[in-house]
Amino acid sequence: MTSREIRIPLDEVVTVLRDLNEFVVSLDRLGSRMASGTADEHTIGTFVLDWDVARRLSRARRFLDVALDAQLSEEENAEIDALCDEGRFYGDESERC
């Protein structure tokens, strides 16, 4: 990948940053509670469902995807998609004990 700038509308960036900040701070607090014994896996599951984490993260990904699709070539977008497919995903064989 070459170094390129991608333009994204400020209101969309602010929405994504607010969501990410809420998730990072909340997950840090949940981790602290788990370490102290006042929270468990159920608490994290409840947070993920009640705070609509999957939908909000999907929306953040969509903002970025739309900006990339509009400003990069098909080949560049395909390269980015391939890099994203290399991620670690919960439930993959490599995650099992």
Side-chain angles (χ1 to χ4, degrees), residues 15-65:
T15 298
V16 169
L17 286 174
R18 286 182 66 194
D19 283 349
L20 292 175
N21 190 55
E22 286 181 20
F23 299 148
V24 169
V25 171
S26 297
L27 289 169
D28 181 61
R29 289 177 181 174
L30 284 166
S32 294
R33 287 183 58 195
M34 286 184 73
S36 70
T38 60
D40 58 14
E41 293 83 8
H42 176 75
T43 307
I44 292 176
T46 299
F47 164 75
V48 169
L49 291 175
D50 288 352
W51 287 53
D52 207 9
V53 172
R55 185 193 59 78
R56 291 168 67 192
L57 286 173
S58 179
R59 181 181 61 193
R61 181 178 62 186
R62 186 177 66 249
F63 286 151
L64 296 174
D65 283 342

